[in-house]
Amino acid sequence: MSDPTLKLVVAWSDSRNLCSLVRDALLEIVPQEEMRTLGDDASVVHTAETASAIRDRLRERLSAGDHVFVAEFETWSGHGPALDSHWLLGRGH
């Protein structure tokens, strides 16, 4: 298995809130200390799982009309008190 990297997970629906559903599914993949929630639709996870593997695990729980986007990234930048900068800096640049 490769080294863990940061992945951005965005899931949304026009008909329902996916926040709890996605959080529960992600906690089956990564420990809570390796996940940060960014609002209702997005999370950042630090894991060796591939973006496509995360997408597939989430897709199993989604309904028609629900959407998921997973991106792996090495470079990031952020601002604001809601971002856990200490956690992010420990998992990237």
Side-chain angles (χ1 to χ4, degrees):
M1 190 173 267
S2 61
D3 290 334
T5 60
L6 286 172
K7 277 87 172 180
L8 173 67
V9 180
V10 182
W12 69 98
S13 174
D14 294 333
S15 62
R16 63 186 181 141
N17 185 310
L18 299 178
C19 187
S20 297
L21 182 142
V22 169
R23 179 175 171 76
D24 292 346
L26 289 174
L27 286 173
E28 293 176 3
I29 300 169
V30 298
Q32 185 170 354
E33 61 270 11
E34 296 300 335
M35 181 173 71
R36 294 297 183 268
T37 302
L38 306 174
D40 287 341
D41 297 333
S43 297
V44 177
V45 295
H46 186 244
T47 180
E49 292 287 338
T50 64
S52 60
I54 295 169
R55 177 209 56 212
D56 291 345
R57 291 283 297 269
L58 293 174
R59 190 169 63 181
E60 295 171 0
R61 296 182 183 217
L62 299 180
S63 301
D66 295 344
H67 316 278
V68 64
F69 173 78
V70 183
E72 180 175 11
F73 56 95
E74 268 308 305
T75 304
W76 55 266
S77 182
H79 172 76
L83 294 175
D84 189 342
S85 298
H86 180 73
W87 184 85
L88 285 168
L89 287 171
R91 290 155 181 83
H93 300 282

